[in-house]
Amino acid sequence: MFADLRQSISDWIFRASVPETPPVTLVQRRIFILPTRQGYTFGVTTLILLVSSINYALSLGFVLTFLLMSMAGVAMLHTWRNLAHLKLRPGRCDPVFAGETAHFGITVETPSLTRFAIAARRRDEEPVYADVGIAQVASIAMPVAAARRGVMRCGRIEIFTRYPLGLFHAWSYVDFNLQVIVYPRPDTAAGAPPARSRSASEEGIPVPGDEEFHMLRPYQTGDAPKLIAWKALAREQGLLTKEFSAMASSELWIDFEEARSSNLEQRLSMLCHWVLTSDRFGQSYGLRLPGVVISPSRGEAHRTRCLEALALFHEPGAAP
Amino acid sequence: MRSLPTSPHLDVRNVMWLLAAMVFVVAPHLIRMPYWVAVFFVAIVGWRGWIAWAAMHFPGRFVTSTLTIAAAIATYFTYTRIVGREAGVTLLVVMSALKLLEMKTQREVTLSIYLGFFLVLTNFLFSQTIPLGVYMLACVWIFIGTMVGFNRVGSSPTLGERMRPAGALLIQALPLMVAFFVLFPRAAGPLWALPTDTRSGTTGLSDTMRPGNISNLIKSDAIAFRVQFQGDRPPYNTLYWRGPVLTQFDGATWSLSHDESRGNVADYARAQRPTKYTVTLEPHNKTWLFALDVPAMVPPGAILLHDLELREPARSPVRDRKRYEMVSFLDYRYGAAAHRGSLRESLRFDETRNPRTVALGRQWARESTNTREVLQKAFQYFNRDFTYTLEPPPLDSRDPYDEFLFVTKQGFCEHYAGSFALAMRAAGIPARIVTGYQGGEVNPLNNELVVRQADAHAWVEIWLAEQGWLRVDPTGAVSPLRIDGGVNAALGPIGVLPSIIAADPIGVLAGIRDAWRAMNSQWDAWVVGYSMDRQRQLFSDLGFPGIDWRALGFWLMVSTFVVGAAISIGLLVRDRPPRSEPSLVAWNRFCAKLAAAGVAPRAPYEGPLDFLRRVESSRPALAATAGDITHRYVEARYGRGASREELRELTRRVREFRAT
């Protein structure tokens, strides 16, 4: 509770207005700067150097002390400048399966000079560093373990730097409302989709092994390697996928009711596995969840739609 | 306060940089320390480098603590103590090496670098010359470069990417550093008592004289003091810089009188040819001050003894460079009115020692009718067959002056002065030894007279009724060149540099040497010797007499602000994002005017021509002007570009555009 209070005070101080419309430029008033622990130690060091110089009347000691002190002051400006005017945009936030590592991505551009050791981190996470060159877009991907299915929100991101001397920590906050969709963890033990569900097909029962060659179509991401027409590729006709009549004509309904388990997550995991298996075989399939029906189809977009439906099923506050 | 994540292992190249910086900064120490320190340091640093290079295991706690204890014990046995300059610095050097051996995390790296800054400071305890200053600046540069390297998380910088930012930081720090150096109020004395061996540069005359100790001093090229004359410099052979006066004599060693009664410059019976000058005295850790024979004034805080010895109070020896104004009378008469009884100390000697010298003195007295004849005999004697040499044979016997006068016949000023004074006492003439310096060297560039330890000298003062104390220099009898041309003239060049200069036919090297010495003199005066007095003097010269720490603090704040603002502006000008294109500014304004007039705002993805089409359909009345502006904008931004006039025209049209 105390942590919450502290957080809300911090939010109020740093005026976290969410979400922000990209691109966000880190203008002067958005950047905060404070000494690091090393910075404080450096201060103590120069103080001891100063006292020693006074005591031993070492003129070159004074020179050293004042040089280091002034340099720390200059370093503060350099640290601040290293962050100033950076342009931030949301980056890739690809969906993952539960149990995998998700990445919240942002892109960073510099308007003028190369910036070194720019770091981004989510609250209480390890930072990720990148150098940002002129006329180049640097991507920073913050990894996070996707433990459970649903929508994972990135929250406020801290962009910071300590370059060049590590004496100061300049930082700014940005919140693009980044989110990663986490699909259920596929339950490989679920086996093949239950056979009964295939009876809904209008054009006869597809029998496993009934793989009469039908046509070649352009390759789509996600097509199984064994369906790729390697001979066509060798003839330099491009990447084509073999389509079999049995698959083309059959329709499969993957149904929530078929997944027999008392646990909702377990059921969704089974459905997820079936979606993946069907997709891998180029099977046309539909998904039926309580309140959600996705009519049979195939391909990358369809697969994504189904997996998203599984990911967001009964997810409180899920975006449609 | 935030902590940095501890990286699993430190970047090898960064570690190597740090080790190199450490070796550089410690190198001057290693040269002057016992050799085991160098061996220990290099071995430990090499070990740490090997660990980083070959990704070896770090030594265990047992090994490091054993090494720590061993190093502490070795330091103690070398110096028989742990505190003090030499021992303290040795301890710091070995401990910083051991710290490197334990360095595993970013935080320990930082501590090691900060230790490196302390090691830079300790070098200044031993020397504050220009070459060492430049060298240490280079070391600081490498340390800063190392810090930059360690803060380049995730990428290893090149040499340039390390040294250039570090150099930029240092150069940008210079103005503020200079401001602080000039303005920071200097304290009058140490904050706490220092160990006696803290300061270097304490070679100088001692408070005793026995055959051999001045000729050792004369091998030192160190500067004793500098003199700036107001007006003409007196002739070389009158430049006797009076120091400690030695009256006590035990047969071999001359030492200071126990009588510390005060003298007074008003006691001179004759005081003519006053010479004004300023002395800048190097710290020598003793109390006496030097002045031309004889002082006509007493510097503030100093005292003048009855034997015309100038001294600081006993509890404040000269530990910092001291600058004082002086006036001397080169033609004087002093002590003529003294009662002979009060001169008893100047006649005392041990009858049992140096019997032949005593006998010689008595013989001169017997054969003479007055003191003048005694002196003549003595000078004739010393003129006969004595040799002036820097390497006199050692005199070990109980009667060193007998041995010198009758056996070796080779000696330096203290041999002549000592034996002469003893003979005078034996002859019944009060005599005492005056030590100090003779001559000096003029730098033609700034007309400054530099007096070095090599110019150390000892002469005799004898007391004659009605004349008082008179200076007698028996060394002049042996080697007149010593008095007229300095030690180099008498002995030939000493050391390597003078012999090269002696072989330099057209004087190029001598010119360089003079320029270098003048530069050193300025450096010593304004950088190394920048004390409270110097600071006050500087500000009173600038027209701010009596400046105090409050005023200095105020100006310090002002200069911090000004310099900080200048650097910030400089950094920001270089970093300003490019200004928006004028065409884009005009276009955005045009879109804003349309939006204000009720046209649905342009979507981010909507291109200008698509937007124009929408405007044409919703507001046909505006089609012509909007089309004109849009096409001008598209041409300027995406087409062949636009001249300055065309851009101005676009801006004007947008300004005149009315959407209603």
Side-chain angles (χ1 to χ4, degrees):
Chain A
M1 194 212 131
F2 183 70
D4 286 352
L5 182 67
R6 221 180 68 169
Q7 193 52 52
S8 50
I9 289 173
S10 156
D11 285 350
W12 176 72
I13 289 172
F14 298 118
R15 264 172 262 146
S17 61
V18 287
E20 291 176 279
T21 41
V24 165
T25 305
L26 298 182
V27 292
Q28 203 164 323
R29 64 188 160 74
R30 290 187 69 125
I31 298 175
F32 311 95
I33 189 160
L34 276 179
T36 57
R37 185 196 297 262
Q38 291 169 38
Y40 287 114
T41 322
F42 188 85
V44 173
T45 305
T46 50
L47 211 61
I48 297 172
L49 287 175
L50 180 65
V51 170
S52 313
S53 303
I54 292 173
N55 208 46
Y56 294 91
L58 290 177
S59 269
L60 291 193
F62 279 113
V63 171
L64 172 74
T65 310
F66 296 144
L67 187 67
L68 292 178
M69 275 169 54
S70 314
M71 197 193 58
V74 174
M76 180 177 78
L77 296 173
H78 278 253
T79 306
W80 177 83
R81 196 264 305 257
N82 198 36
L83 203 60
H85 306 310
L86 282 181
K87 199 173 270 187
L88 308 177
R89 285 192 175 84
R92 291 180 59 173
C93 297
D94 295 337
V96 291
F97 293 97
E100 291 180 349
T101 302
H103 288 92
F104 293 111
I106 55 167
T107 66
V108 188
E109 290 164 77
T110 166
S112 48
L113 300 160
T114 302
R115 314 300 180 89
F116 295 111
I118 300 292
R121 72 170 162 204
R122 300 171 63 230
R123 186 174 300 154
D124 307 326
E125 300 274 338
E126 287 290 300
V128 182
Y129 290 85
D131 291 347
V132 185
I134 304 165
Q136 109 187 23
V137 180
S139 303
I140 301 182
M142 286 161 280
V144 56
R148 46 178 296 275
R149 169 194 73 93
V151 175
M152 204 161 53
R153 291 180 200 285
C154 179
R156 193 170 66 174
I157 302 168
E158 184 192 345
I159 308 291
F160 72 88
T161 187
R162 286 173 180 163
Y163 186 82
L165 296 187
L167 304 180
F168 290 92
H169 180 95
W171 79 100
S172 185
Y173 292 118
V174 65
D175 193 343
F176 288 127
N177 205 10
L178 296 180
Q179 55 187 41
V180 164
I181 294 176
V182 183
Y183 305 147
R185 184 199 304 264
D187 182 6
T188 46
R196 197 175 63 83
S197 62
R198 299 176 187 182
S199 59
S201 161
E202 291 162 11
E203 290 166 45
I205 302 162
V207 184
D210 180 9
E211 293 179 350
E212 191 183 323
F213 180 71
H214 175 60
M215 61 179 283
L216 282 171
R217 62 167 172 83
Y219 173 81
Q220 290 178 322
T221 323
D223 282 344
K226 69 173 204 175
L227 297 178
I228 292 170
W230 296 110
K231 283 177 186 162
L233 184 64
R235 288 194 295 269
E236 299 187 353
Q237 290 173 335
L239 206 49
L240 299 172
T241 304
K242 289 181 274 189
E243 234 175 56
F244 295 90
S245 56
M247 293 174 179
S249 59
S250 67
E251 271 185 358
L252 170 65
W253 279 98
I254 297 172
D255 198 328
F256 185 71
E257 298 303 324
E258 299 289 343
R260 309 242 175 241
S261 172
S262 57
N263 186 336
L264 170 66
E265 296 304 321
Q266 177 62 30
R267 292 172 102 171
L268 291 171
S269 285
M270 292 164 80
L271 294 174
C272 178
H273 176 68
W274 291 339
V275 166
L276 292 176
T277 321
S278 309
D279 180 70
R280 199 171 304 134
F281 285 108
Q283 176 79 48
S284 175
Y285 58 93
L287 179 66
R288 200 176 283 143
L289 296 172
V292 182
V293 176
I294 298 171
S295 49
S297 178
R298 76 179 105 225
E300 178 79 18
H302 177 66
R303 186 187 75 141
T304 306
R305 210 175 143 219
C306 294
L307 288 173
E308 273 182 14
L310 292 174
L312 304 181
F313 182 68
H314 280 197
E315 170 79 3
Chain B
M1 205 186 295
R2 290 145 195 282
S3 61
L4 207 72
T6 52
S7 46
H9 48 122
L10 301 164
D11 184 75
V12 177
R13 279 211 278 174
N14 285 333
V15 173
M16 291 301 174
W17 268 82
L18 178 54
L19 296 182
M22 277 295 194
V23 170
F24 281 134
V25 84
V26 168
H29 282 321
L30 296 186
I31 292 165
R32 62 183 149 243
M33 278 173 183
Y35 73 97
W36 70 262
V37 180
V39 171
F40 183 86
F41 185 83
V42 170
I44 296 288
V45 168
W47 188 3
R48 181 63 183 84
W50 176 246
I51 288 171
W53 188 257
M56 302 285 285
H57 285 294
F58 283 88
R61 183 158 290 263
F62 174 75
V63 176
T64 50
S65 40
T66 308
L67 281 171
T68 309
I69 293 165
I73 291 173
T75 309
Y76 182 79
F77 275 102
T78 308
Y79 300 99
T80 65
R81 57 183 182 163
I82 292 293
V83 292
R85 182 174 62 144
E86 313 276 338
V89 172
T90 303
L91 209 56
L92 189 64
V93 166
V94 293
M95 291 307 158
S96 54
L98 289 166
K99 182 80 207 147
L100 287 174
L101 197 57
E102 290 182 329
M103 182 181 72
K104 289 174 200 157
T105 64
Q106 186 87 27
R107 190 175 303 163
E108 284 162 332
V109 165
T110 314
L111 285 181
S112 285
I113 292 173
Y114 295 171
L115 259 180
F117 293 143
F118 278 108
L119 287 170
V120 171
L121 189 82
T122 56
N123 273 291
F124 297 145
L125 286 172
F126 294 86
S127 165
Q128 298 195 71
T129 58
I130 297 177
L132 187 86
V134 171
Y135 180 80
M136 284 299 144
L137 184 66
C139 288
V140 170
W141 190 13
I142 299 176
F143 272 118
I144 303 297
T146 311
M147 281 176 91
V148 171
F150 274 108
N151 281 288
R152 277 283 298 271
V153 188
S155 59
S156 195
T158 61
L159 177 72
E161 283 178 340
R162 229 180 255 277
M163 297 312 271
R164 228 176 299 116
L169 284 170
L170 285 174
I171 286 171
Q172 287 167 21
L174 280 181
L176 203 56
M177 183 274 279
V178 171
F180 264 85
F181 184 81
V182 174
L183 292 167
F184 187 82
R186 293 301 200 277
L191 304 174
W192 65 86
L194 302 170
T196 44
D197 73 337
T198 304
R199 294 301 303 271
S200 61
T202 48
T203 53
L205 292 173
S206 91
D207 48 9
T208 58
M209 186 195 84
R210 90 193 143 261
N213 64 350
I214 290 185
S215 52
N216 279 333
L217 189 61
I218 216 155
K219 289 167 194 158
S220 160
D221 206 26
I223 290 171
F225 52 91
R226 296 186 174 88
V227 182
Q228 192 81 49
F229 286 102
Q230 292 170 23
D232 289 340
R233 178 170 54 83
Y236 204 84
N237 58 13
T238 59
L239 297 179
Y240 280 86
W241 302 99
R242 192 183 182 94
V245 180
L246 313 175
T247 312
Q248 291 256 336
F249 179 56
D250 72 351
T253 305
W254 297 81
S255 49
L256 292 171
S257 169
H258 290 306
D259 179 9
E260 296 207 335
S261 61
R262 302 293 168 89
N264 192 334
V265 291
D267 294 346
Y268 297 130
R270 187 163 79 199
Q272 282 163 22
R273 287 172 62 199
T275 301
K276 285 187 178 180
Y277 53 96
T278 308
V279 178
T280 310
L281 180 62
E282 294 293 315
H284 56 73
N285 229 358
K286 296 280 173 27
T287 53
W288 44 76
L289 306 177
F290 296 91
L292 270 182
D293 217 8
V294 291
M297 61 168 280
V298 183
I303 50 174
L304 183 71
L305 297 186
H306 70 286
D307 53 10
L308 304 184
E309 183 185 320
L310 274 178
R311 270 195 208 172
E312 290 278 81
R315 56 199 154 65
S316 57
V318 182
R319 287 219 184 92
D320 298 306
R321 182 168 290 117
K322 185 176 170 65
R323 201 180 142 89
Y324 52 93
E325 307 278 327
M326 266 311 292
V327 184
S328 288
F329 298 128
L330 296 189
D331 188 359
Y332 64 95
R333 187 159 289 176
Y334 175 68
H339 190 264
R340 212 180 146 80
S342 68
L343 301 169
R344 217 178 304 132
E345 199 183 11
S346 305
L347 283 166
R348 199 172 292 147
F349 58 94
D350 188 343
E351 297 273 354
T352 62
R353 300 181 67 175
N354 303 298
R356 296 178 69 185
T357 311
V358 171
L360 183 69
R362 287 195 172 138
Q363 184 195 332
W364 289 339
R366 251 194 330 272
E367 292 168 359
S368 309
T369 52
N370 56 25
T371 29
R372 176 171 287 275
E373 276 182 46
V374 175
L375 282 174
Q376 258 170 9
K377 287 198 168 66
F379 272 102
Q380 276 165 11
Y381 182 82
F382 276 99
N383 251 330
R384 228 158 47 202
D385 52 7
F386 286 93
T387 320
Y388 185 70
T389 172
L390 201 58
E391 301 286 345
L395 305 173
D396 300 327
S397 71
R398 197 169 171 276
D399 310 313
Y401 293 109
D402 276 6
E403 201 181 344
F404 162 62
L405 286 182
F406 301 103
V407 182
T408 64
K409 302 194 180 215
Q410 292 175 34
F412 201 65
C413 57
E414 68 260 38
H415 299 78
Y416 298 104
S419 51
F420 190 92
L422 174 59
M424 286 300 114
R425 286 188 179 188
I429 302 170
R432 64 192 184 196
I433 304 282
V434 183
T435 57
Y437 299 86
Q438 207 280 318
E441 186 181 16
V442 177
N443 189 330
L445 290 183
N446 55 3
N447 216 16
E448 191 180 66
L449 185 84
V450 177
V451 179
R452 296 170 186 277
Q453 298 299 345
D455 298 313
H457 193 47
W459 61 91
V460 180
E461 273 185 338
I462 56 170
W463 184 87
L464 299 180
E466 284 160 27
Q467 299 207 48
W469 289 101
L470 289 178
R471 182 172 67 224
V472 178
D473 193 349
T475 313
V478 180
S479 175
L481 274 178
R482 170 72 183 86
I483 307 307
D484 290 332
V487 178
N488 277 3
L491 290 173
I494 306 169
V496 179
L497 186 66
S499 64
I500 294 173
I501 287 161
D504 173 25
I506 46 173
V508 173
L509 287 174
I512 294 172
R513 182 190 63 171
D514 287 340
W516 172 245
R517 285 187 178 166
M519 197 166 100
N520 271 315
S521 166
Q522 292 300 314
W523 170 265
D524 283 351
W526 289 104
V527 179
V528 180
Y530 192 75
S531 59
M532 191 165 78
D533 294 342
R534 252 299 137 96
Q535 194 172 36
R536 285 210 182 118
Q537 188 203 334
L538 174 71
F539 281 95
S540 77
D541 288 355
L542 290 173
F544 304 98
I547 197 156
D548 64 351
W549 63 268
R550 260 179 249 107
L552 289 172
F554 172 74
W555 287 111
L556 208 52
M557 279 199 292
V558 169
S559 50
T560 308
F561 182 76
V562 169
V563 173
I567 293 174
S568 313
I569 290 167
L571 287 178
L572 284 180
V573 163
R574 279 182 65 201
D575 192 40
R576 207 168 42 182
R579 278 187 55 181
S580 293
E581 295 252 335
S583 61
L584 186 62
V585 173
W587 172 251
N588 284 337
R589 197 167 163 204
F590 169 70
C591 293
K593 279 188 172 182
L594 282 171
V599 179
R602 190 174 67 88
Y605 53 82
E606 202 172 18
L609 294 175
D610 295 331
F611 182 58
L612 174 65
R613 230 163 281 134
R614 201 154 57 78
V615 171
E616 282 168 348
S617 61
S618 63
R619 297 287 180 90
L622 297 174
T625 45
D628 173 55
I629 288 172
T630 307
H631 287 297
R632 277 172 185 277
Y633 165 66
V634 170
E635 194 61 34
R637 192 151 167 79
Y638 305 105
R640 57 171 173 85
S643 70
R644 193 168 296 205
E645 286 71 33
E646 285 170 324
L647 283 175
R648 212 173 290 142
E649 183 62 22
L650 172 65
T651 310
R652 193 181 65 77
R653 279 173 195 238
V654 169
R655 193 169 58 235
E656 289 168 358
F657 177 75
R658 293 284 174 275
T660 43

